[in-house]
Amino acid sequence: MQNTTAARPVLGRLASSLRTESGSAMFLALVTVLALVWANSPLSESYFELWHQEVGFDVGPVSMHMDLHHWINDGLMVIFFFVVGLEVRQEFAHGSLRDRSRAQLAVIAGVAGVALPALVYVLVVSLSGGSGLGGWGAVVGTDTAFMLGALAVVGPRLSGQLRVFLLTLTVVDDFLAVTIIGVVYSDQIELVPFLIALACLVGLWVLGRSRQWNAAPYVLIVIVLWFATVASGVHASLAGMIAGLLIPAYPTQRHEVVAARQLIRDFWQSPSAASARGVSRGLARGISVNERMHEVLRRPTALLVVPIFALANAGVDLRGGLLADSLGSPVTWGVILGLVLGKLLGIGVATLLAVRMGLGRPPEGVGMGSVFGGAALSGIGFTVSLLVIGLAFGSTTDLGRQATLGVLVSMVLAVALGWSIFRIAAKRWGEETADLPMVLDPPVDPEVDHMRGPEDANLTLVEYVDFECEYCAHATGSWEDLSAQFGDDLRYVVRHLPHHPHGPLAAKASEAAAIQGEFWRWLDLVFTHQDALEREDLIGYAGELGLDVDRFIQDIDSDAVAARIERDLESAEASGAHATPTFFIEGRRLLGDYDARTLAAALESSRRGTRTRETSSGKG
């Protein structure tokens, strides 16, 4: 019993590490090594026999029989590409691809990062006789999970913005790669199943247009779509990607969140099965069906689907002179040079030229050295590469084995090259980070900043706000919860970051109220009227608070107020705050969720850290 209890913390830490990008990448690497060891061990025959076992079912007129390898590559991997499609739709709906400049740069770099590797492969293989040209698709894709995991291990100390750039890039990369798989590597098309698949796609589109929030109809159609696509001869990866693209994504709707809160209140006051069902439905309405599906599928995909695929496809029998044959194989070198050199030059040079020609802009805080480091890591093909190799050559043929070995070698070389470039960029060009600033700049100044709470409080919380932001602490009531919990131990500072349509005028009005000593009363009032922030509304609030209205009107348009807002905007840019709400705890930018419980936990952690340092200093 004691051993079980002692093992729980270890298992908990293991589970937590697997949830990180670096942990999941390491797990995938271990599975790949396991496949290689198994395929080259005395038990290698059992490895290859396992994947050729036929599995199937017959349910009335519906039947499906395939070997285990095909179930994994044509079945499980559809989930992987479906998740990719969901992510692409999110990026277009409310992610990086909404920014035209970033989207344009991502498209340019993504297309070059697909085209140049394929060209390199074709040139290498053609110069050696042309045998194996059909495998050019093996070098077009990047394994996002492996790439991000490698970035977490060998990349800059802070690489959040570079990560966003690479994710945006792989959206384009994945879309092109899956399209190539579906178009180039599909079998002969069967017309009736193909038409059924098209009808399913139309059904998904209709559901999305009707804003159907329930996930069940989408899931049912996607299942039928998969059956029809497999029967049609089109590779199911394309159907998975397109299906994901058709699942609607949109920013969280505040009115739905407010409605859900009322349903939770109803359940609190009168718990019943009916009210519980109402809460569940209300919460689901608040989040797009795309994001709910993504949340359910992303972990199993990373920790189950892709590792199973790796186990089934990465096992190459290196015996019988394969290593020697591969060193002289144009297919092996085509894969290696296509992935390692083609991705580096395709993405890196295309990005550099696009930026210099004014066709796009890189994320703030990301230098070109970091871009080339990320481009090198994009040479990790793995998932898409192994899938294409199986379709083009068959994984057990000589060409298939040589190409697979090239993919595995490319992974090692891409990581080593990326690590080298990141080190050079840090030492030569000072690119130690590739992220937005994390430290509040300038620090809190009681003489300038708007502060609530004692000046000598132990904890400091800074929030960048927009009076039209529906998720700022005053709008959600988070500040009231924190104030009740920490009392005089907490000082709260507000800085402006107006970015909604009425935000700039509302910010100036708050500073006009501050001149008359009423900033906090103004803030408390106006955050309860976020739907009425026109100029006449703001003037009305000034009268409601008993301010000198004439002076208030004069101050709104004054240079002093404009300069005060500009100070906070410059501070936001220098501190890495790009949206509201953005919080800083003890001068460090908070990442992730910002609900009252999360903020309280971060404040408590900061307080414990301060006490530990004081204790250590006292002992010294």
Side-chain angles (χ1 to χ4, degrees):
M1 187 72 176
Q2 289 179 344
N3 290 338
T4 303
T5 303
R8 285 175 183 168
V10 176
L11 293 174
R13 287 194 295 271
L14 178 60
S16 297
S17 68
L18 288 177
R19 294 190 185 99
T20 66
E21 287 172 346
S22 58
S24 60
M26 291 297 294
F27 177 60
L28 192 53
L30 287 174
V31 172
T32 303
V33 172
L34 173 61
L36 283 169
V37 171
W38 188 359
N40 291 273
S41 71
L43 300 175
S44 62
E45 188 175 342
S46 67
Y47 173 84
F48 295 104
E49 286 181 352
L50 172 64
W51 311 119
H52 288 94
Q53 295 295 317
E54 185 175 291
V55 179
F57 63 87
D58 296 282
V59 180
V62 179
S63 66
M64 182 72 71
H65 292 269
M66 297 187 291
D67 63 34
L68 191 56
H69 190 265
H70 278 92
W71 274 107
I72 292 169
N73 287 15
D74 295 346
L76 273 183
M77 285 306 291
V78 173
I79 300 174
F80 170 82
F81 289 111
F82 179 69
V83 171
V84 170
L86 294 175
E87 292 171 348
V88 173
R89 180 63 183 267
Q90 289 179 29
E91 289 298 321
F92 275 109
H94 52 88
S96 299
L97 292 180
R98 290 191 66 189
D99 184 326
R100 181 177 178 181
S101 178
R102 285 189 179 182
Q104 188 166 286
L105 185 62
V107 169
I108 292 170
V111 171
V114 167
L116 189 59
L119 179 61
V120 169
Y121 178 93
V122 170
L123 286 175
V124 171
V125 175
S126 296
L127 291 174
S128 303
S131 177
L133 274 176
W136 64 270
V139 299
V140 300
T142 295
D143 189 298
T144 306
F146 250 135
M147 183 264 291
L148 293 180
L151 177 66
V153 175
V154 305
R157 179 172 52 87
L158 297 173
S159 56
Q161 286 296 99
L162 177 60
R163 180 184 181 279
V164 171
F165 173 72
L166 293 176
L167 270 176
T168 308
L169 180 67
T170 56
V171 163
V172 180
D173 182 295
D174 287 338
F175 180 80
L176 293 174
V178 175
T179 302
I180 288 168
I181 292 172
V183 174
V184 177
Y185 296 102
S186 290
D187 299 324
Q188 184 176 351
I189 306 300
E190 295 290 337
L191 184 59
V192 173
F194 182 73
L195 292 176
I196 294 174
L198 288 179
C200 289
L201 294 176
V202 172
L204 289 175
W205 179 80
V206 170
L207 284 176
R209 293 287 294 177
S210 65
R211 301 288 285 223
Q212 170 60 245
W213 60 270
N214 196 333
Y218 295 96
V219 173
L220 181 61
I221 291 179
V222 169
I223 292 173
V224 176
L225 171 65
W226 177 77
F227 275 104
T229 305
V230 171
S232 73
V234 176
H235 196 271
S237 60
L238 182 60
M241 165 74 90
I242 296 175
L245 285 169
L246 291 173
I247 307 298
Y250 45 81
T252 301
Q253 306 297 305
R254 183 63 182 171
H255 67 278
E256 296 286 5
V257 176
V258 173
R261 183 175 64 179
Q262 181 58 50
L263 292 171
I264 293 171
R265 183 178 177 84
D266 294 342
F267 178 73
W268 173 262
Q269 294 173 343
S270 178
S272 66
S275 59
R277 186 169 60 253
V279 169
S280 179
R281 292 166 64 91
L283 292 174
R285 286 178 179 273
I287 305 296
S288 73
V289 65
N290 182 300
E291 292 186 61
R292 283 184 278 126
M293 284 185 169
H294 186 261
E295 180 64 22
V296 170
L297 293 174
R298 64 186 182 93
R299 286 297 175 199
T301 300
L303 299 179
L304 188 64
V305 172
V306 176
I308 290 176
F309 171 82
L311 186 64
N313 288 271
V316 183
D317 192 342
L318 302 175
R319 298 167 297 182
L322 176 65
L323 286 176
D325 292 343
S326 296
L327 289 176
S329 169
V331 169
T332 302
W333 286 107
V335 170
I336 293 174
L337 293 176
L339 285 172
V340 178
L341 187 62
K343 287 288 185 181
L344 172 67
L345 296 179
I347 294 171
V349 174
T351 302
L352 177 63
L353 292 177
V355 170
R356 291 191 173 179
M357 294 171 65
L359 299 177
R361 58 184 179 85
E364 184 180 343
V366 178
M368 288 309 304
S370 296
V371 169
F372 273 90
L377 295 183
S378 298
I380 303 175
F382 197 71
T383 306
V384 175
S385 298
L386 296 183
L387 184 60
V388 171
I389 289 168
L391 295 171
F393 303 131
S395 56
T396 58
T397 65
D398 287 342
L399 287 179
R401 293 162 66 207
Q402 292 165 7
T404 301
L405 185 63
V407 171
L408 299 178
V409 172
S410 298
M411 291 172 60
V412 177
L413 294 178
V415 172
L417 182 60
W419 178 85
S420 300
I421 294 174
F422 285 129
R423 299 289 82 75
I424 293 171
K427 183 174 291 187
R428 185 150 189 172
W429 299 298
E431 296 183 20
E432 296 182 357
T433 65
D435 200 1
L436 295 172
M438 292 293 296
V439 178
L440 185 67
D441 182 18
V444 172
D445 183 352
E447 297 297 323
V448 180
D449 281 305
H450 301 299
M451 181 180 299
R452 175 174 272 174
E455 288 187 13
D456 59 349
N458 295 321
L459 299 169
T460 302
L461 176 69
V462 178
E463 180 184 7
Y464 284 87
V465 305
D466 182 312
F467 283 97
E468 206 170 356
C469 169
E470 298 173 320
Y471 301 100
C472 286
H474 271 76
T476 62
S478 298
W479 161 246
E480 288 78 1
D481 295 342
L482 295 172
S483 178
Q485 180 171 344
F486 291 97
D488 288 342
D489 272 353
L490 177 65
R491 63 177 185 173
Y492 172 57
V493 175
V494 164
R495 290 182 179 176
H496 299 288
L497 181 52
H499 58 97
H500 288 87
H502 298 94
L505 183 61
K508 290 180 178 180
S510 71
E511 290 302 322
I515 291 173
Q516 300 187 43
E518 294 293 358
F519 177 84
W520 290 106
R521 286 182 64 209
W522 174 272
L523 180 141
D524 292 339
L525 172 64
V526 173
F527 263 114
T528 63
H529 297 284
Q530 289 184 296
D531 57 342
L533 296 177
E534 300 288 349
R535 188 179 184 90
E536 53 271 23
D537 298 319
L538 300 172
I539 294 172
Y541 303 145
E544 189 176 335
L545 291 172
L547 302 182
D548 182 335
V549 175
D550 292 335
R551 183 184 177 189
F552 175 84
I553 295 173
Q554 182 179 350
D555 287 336
I556 282 181
D557 301 316
S558 69
D559 292 340
V561 163
R564 178 65 177 77
I565 302 300
E566 186 60 30
R567 172 196 180 272
D568 281 2
L569 287 172
E570 292 174 356
S571 167
E573 183 174 355
S575 306
H578 275 198
T580 57
T582 297
F583 293 93
F584 287 77
I585 293 176
E586 294 298 291
R588 296 286 299 178
R589 182 157 55 88
L590 179 71
L591 302 176
D593 293 338
Y594 45 79
D595 57 275
R597 186 178 300 180
T598 299
L599 289 170
L603 288 164
E604 286 287 1
S605 176
S606 179
R607 178 155 60 184
R608 287 194 299 271
T610 301
R611 288 172 178 172
T612 301
R613 288 191 295 272
E614 290 175 350
T615 302
S616 301
S617 176
K619 289 180 180 179

